Amino acid sequence: MAAMRGDSDEERGSPEGSGAAHIPPTIYVIKFHKNARREAVEFLLERIESKHKYGGAELFVRCEPQQPGKVSTVAPAAGKGLVVHVSATKIKLLEIAEATELQKETSDGLIQ
């Protein structure tokens, strides 16, 4: 779903905004071993997606499609392991940068 012209950046970056169906680009890829326990994979993915107040990171997770002819389970017994793509809104990335006190040099040479 494309964002409408009247939408603000905050609405597009918000899960509740009108651009809620839009998923930001992948910022991190996690590939689980083919023998990874289903419970372990589910636990990690739940931590990544959960709200901060429940101990989560509030990020988006998408599973990479399985190869044709393979069983689509969380931890397939045969073939390759599960591959997930993690993404975040601009607002979430800014929150993470602020929480980790990330600093960047400006074009004037100042550290902010």
Side-chain angles (χ1 to χ4, degrees), residues 18-48:
S18 59
H22 171 71
I23 298 176
T26 299
I27 57 171
Y28 201 75
V29 176
I30 302 171
K31 183 176 181 180
F32 292 96
H33 189 274
K34 65 181 179 179
N35 296 327
R37 292 184 53 189
R38 181 184 184 106
E39 297 83 12
V41 172
E42 288 176 350
F43 175 81
L44 290 172
L45 295 180
E46 186 176 308
R47 289 296 120 227
I48 293 169

Side-chain angles (χ1 to χ4, degrees), residues 33-108:
H33 189 274
K34 65 181 179 179
N35 296 327
R37 292 184 53 189
R38 181 184 184 106
E39 297 83 12
V41 172
E42 288 176 350
F43 175 81
L44 290 172
L45 295 180
E46 186 176 308
R47 289 296 120 227
I48 293 169
E49 291 180 306
S50 295
K51 296 282 185 193
H52 183 72
K53 66 182 178 182
Y54 300 118
E58 298 183 359
L59 302 175
F60 297 109
V61 174
R62 294 178 303 200
C63 292
E64 193 169 284
Q66 298 290 320
Q67 299 296 328
K70 300 217 176 174
V71 179
S72 179
T73 60
V74 173
K80 297 181 180 181
L82 178 71
V83 178
V84 295
H85 295 251
V86 180
S87 56
T89 62
K90 288 181 188 178
I91 299 298
K92 181 50 73 176
L93 291 174
L94 290 172
E95 288 174 2
I96 293 168
E98 184 176 332
T100 59
E101 299 179 5
L102 184 67
Q103 297 182 345
K104 180 179 176 183
E105 187 174 341
T106 65
S107 59
D108 298 333

